[in-house]
Amino acid sequence: MAPHRKSRPPSPMGIRTPALATAALTSVALLSQTANAAPSEEPRPSLEEVEKKVGDLYRQAETASEKYNAAKEKTTKQKKRVDTLLDDVARRTEKLNDAREELGTFAAAQYRTGAAAPDTASLLLADNPQDYFDQTHLMDRLTSRQKQSVDDYVTQQTATTEKRQEASESLETLTRTQSSLKTSKADVQRKLATARDLLSKLTAEEKARLAAIERQKQEEAQRKADELARQQAADAERRRQEAAQSTAGTSTGSGTASGTSGSGSTASTAKADKALAFARAQIGKPYVWGASGPGSYDCSGLTQAAWKAAGVTLPRTTWDQVKSGTTVSVNSAQPGDLVFFYDDISHVGIYIGDGMMIHAPKPGAYVREESIYYMPIHSVVRPA
């Protein structure tokens, strides 16, 4: 006969204990998996966010490029100055050695005769010869030739000391500028690398949509350029009519009629034509930050080279170029004028008329014609 087994009481609410345990274990496992799971990735930025971020990075890179250009220009000038100072110090040191040698000859002669040997010998070791003269009255005991040698020695020592100090200070400044140059270069490269990384993560569809956004921007900018061209044409026609009326009103007099361009205006126009001809010849060459030709350009490198071809020297950076001429209104812009962009004046192009310019746009692009309204305009400057 089978042994009698005592039955277990039912679990509360009619749920069997093994089922409850299984459910609890499952919950613990799920919680454990959730706790151990890798944190969710950041949400993917929208295409509009990527487009804005890339645009901002390119602008920041261009600003850093202008800082690089400024530091490079300053470094070049300072290096020339340091080289000149060091050459001058070397020449003065040679003259000082010659003066010291001649003075030493007199000291040796005086020593042999027992006359004022300590005085003249001590002079060669003095930190400040002039103070030494004042204290010892050595000049009173020297011949005219000896006095001339002492004067030469004092002059050369003073000048050499001053030039050495000047060269040392210039070297320190050069070191700081070279450090700034290195920092700006790294800043440009870092921002461009970030922009490339963002663009590389776009799908083919997103790249197509990004291109469509770019086309819309171009079309809107072109519409504004066409509007400016019509306005400028109307203004030119009005001025022509006013000039004709003025000429008719003074036809009984003699001399040049009012409104006729003088030789200065003709010369300025000729220079602008040369600058534009040069700029047009660069169309299709790549944008390279820090470049000023002949194979590639950044924005200010192109405008500087264009006006140099016209015989006008412009500074290297946008921040200096904007100060190198007369500011005019956008409506008054003439071919050859420089158009500056953004509040920080980090971009520049050369105006060609009808609301258009030639410029070196950005990394990955080429020198091209484009509406001046593609970017927010800061100011227009006439260099010549």
Side-chain angles (χ1 to χ4, degrees):
M1 182 175 179
H4 176 73
R5 293 182 180 177
K6 190 174 181 180
S7 61
R8 296 179 179 178
S11 59
M13 301 181 64
I15 301 177
R16 296 179 62 189
T17 302
L20 179 62
T22 301
L25 289 173
T26 302
S27 299
V28 170
L30 289 174
L31 289 172
S32 177
Q33 290 175 3
T34 301
N36 294 329
S40 59
E41 296 182 358
E42 293 183 1
R44 182 182 177 85
S46 68
L47 185 61
E48 289 73 18
E49 290 173 334
V50 170
E51 192 266 345
K52 183 181 184 305
K53 181 65 174 177
V54 169
D56 289 344
L57 285 168
Y58 279 150
R59 269 196 58 205
Q60 292 168 19
E62 194 156 35
T63 300
S65 295
E66 290 303 305
K67 290 180 180 179
Y68 171 86
N69 291 336
K72 185 177 181 181
E73 186 177 43
K74 191 174 181 180
T75 297
T76 300
K77 291 179 180 178
Q78 288 176 340
K79 190 174 186 308
K80 288 181 180 178
R81 176 167 176 75
V82 167
D83 289 342
T84 300
L85 285 170
L86 291 177
D87 288 342
D88 194 9
V89 167
R91 287 193 298 271
R92 291 182 182 278
T93 300
E94 185 176 357
K95 290 181 180 179
L96 179 62
N97 290 336
D98 291 342
R100 182 183 287 114
E101 184 177 349
E102 185 171 0
L103 199 58
T105 301
F106 290 128
Q110 289 177 336
Y111 180 78
R112 286 194 298 271
T113 61
D119 291 338
T120 311
S122 297
L123 169 63
L124 297 174
L125 302 176
D127 292 332
N128 190 324
Q130 191 59 56
D131 289 347
Y132 185 77
F133 293 143
D134 295 340
Q135 294 171 7
T136 64
H137 306 288
L138 176 61
M139 293 295 281
D140 295 338
R141 302 197 297 276
L142 297 179
T143 66
S144 60
R145 183 182 175 187
Q146 290 171 334
K147 288 178 180 179
Q148 183 61 50
S149 297
V150 169
D151 287 340
D152 290 344
Y153 175 77
V154 172
T155 300
Q156 293 301 331
Q157 186 185 58
T158 302
T160 302
T161 300
E162 291 176 351
K163 287 298 178 181
R164 282 174 178 165
Q165 179 63 29
E166 189 175 356
S168 176
E169 292 173 354
S170 294
L171 278 170
E172 291 177 0
T173 302
L174 177 60
T175 300
R176 289 194 297 270
T177 307
Q178 287 175 328
S179 176
S180 176
L181 183 68
K182 184 177 180 181
T183 299
S184 297
K185 181 177 181 179
D187 196 20
V188 175
Q189 292 173 329
R190 183 169 54 252
K191 287 177 170 55
L192 293 180
T194 302
R196 286 193 297 268
D197 182 61
L198 284 171
L199 291 173
S200 69
K201 294 177 180 178
L202 295 179
T203 65
E205 181 182 355
E206 287 174 327
K207 289 179 181 179
R209 287 171 54 199
L210 194 61
I213 293 174
E214 176 68 13
R215 285 193 299 272
Q216 290 176 355
K217 288 176 61 178
Q218 294 279 5
E219 290 169 0
E220 176 61 18
Q222 186 61 54
R223 184 190 65 76
K224 292 182 178 179
D226 293 341
E227 183 179 336
L228 176 62
R230 288 191 294 270
Q231 184 175 350
Q232 288 182 328
D235 290 343
E237 177 62 20
R238 188 190 72 253
R239 288 194 297 270
R240 187 191 67 78
Q241 292 178 0
E242 290 174 351
Q245 292 172 359
S246 177
T247 301
T250 58
S251 59
T252 57
S254 60
T256 303
S258 174
T260 302
S261 297
S263 59
S265 176
T266 302
S268 297
T269 301
K271 289 180 179 179
D273 289 344
K274 289 181 180 179
L276 285 175
F278 179 92
R280 285 194 176 94
Q282 312 314 307
I283 290 176
K285 293 184 179 180
Y287 174 101
V288 175
W289 66 271
S292 55
S296 58
Y297 298 89
D298 63 12
C299 65
S300 57
L302 176 63
T303 51
Q304 182 190 48
W307 272 100
K308 182 179 180 181
V312 176
T313 300
L314 292 180
R316 179 61 179 91
T317 70
T318 54
W319 304 314
D320 291 327
Q321 288 182 11
V322 76
K323 307 171 190 173
S324 301
T326 303
T327 301
V328 299
S329 67
V330 175
N331 288 348
S332 302
Q334 296 178 4
D337 290 350
L338 301 179
V339 187
F340 296 89
F341 301 90
Y342 301 112
D343 291 339
D344 62 354
I345 321 176
S346 57
H347 191 76
V348 63
I350 184 167
Y351 191 65
I352 61 176
D354 295 334
M356 302 294 288
M357 66 177 169
I358 296 174
H359 71 144
K362 59 185 177 182
Y366 297 84
V367 176
R368 66 193 184 200
E369 292 186 12
E370 197 153 49
S371 166
I372 62 173
Y373 291 101
Y374 181 71
M375 296 165 283
I377 298 172
H378 176 273
S379 58
V380 180
V381 170
R382 188 161 299 152

